[in-house]
Amino acid sequence: MVIPGWLLRHTVTIEAYLGDSAHGPRYADPVTARAFVEEKARTVRTLKGEEVTASTTVYLLPSQDCPPESRVTTHTGRVASVITSALLDGGGLPTPDHREVTLE
């Protein structure tokens, strides 16, 4: 079961991180996606295992690509970097499948 569309009441713009170049980070062209944006601080672990505070959690369709270090512009106009991006499938339970993205 996929997260219902009526829950995705916000719009975000995602610039997927492609890696570093000699001139700094490279990003894909911006893509607009439906999302649910929750402005709430919480502690998360980075890919390097460091504990940091995420200020926002974004819920997306499971098919939406949004790797760590991507840039996301929320519906309020705030631009932030992705700390973590996880595909959550409910593990066979009747919960909606979605992608959970935490932002700095």
Side-chain angles (χ1 to χ4, degrees):
M1 170 171 65
V2 176
I3 190 168
W6 59 269
L7 285 176
L8 305 175
R9 62 185 185 195
H10 303 123
T11 302
V12 296
T13 303
I14 300 168
E15 297 171 78
Y17 177 71
L18 300 175
D20 289 323
S21 71
H23 303 286
R26 291 182 34 234
Y27 299 96
D29 291 333
V31 174
T32 301
R34 292 178 60 197
F36 179 77
V37 179
E38 181 181 34
E39 301 282 346
K40 181 180 175 183
R42 68 185 235 199
T43 303
V44 297
R45 288 198 183 273
T46 66
L47 292 175
K48 297 176 184 175
E50 303 165 331
E51 280 192 1
V52 297
T53 301
S55 61
T56 305
T57 303
V58 178
Y59 302 93
L60 301 162
L61 289 171
S63 58
Q64 183 64 56
D65 186 36
C66 190
E69 298 186 46
S70 296
R71 279 192 302 220
V72 175
T73 305
T74 66
H75 65 290
T76 62
R78 190 172 78 84
V79 180
S81 294
V82 173
I83 301 170
T84 63
S85 179
L87 182 60
L88 303 175
D89 68 0
L93 299 173
T95 58
D97 300 346
H98 62 283
R99 178 168 301 279
E100 185 175 297
V101 176
T102 56
L103 306 178
E104 291 181 338

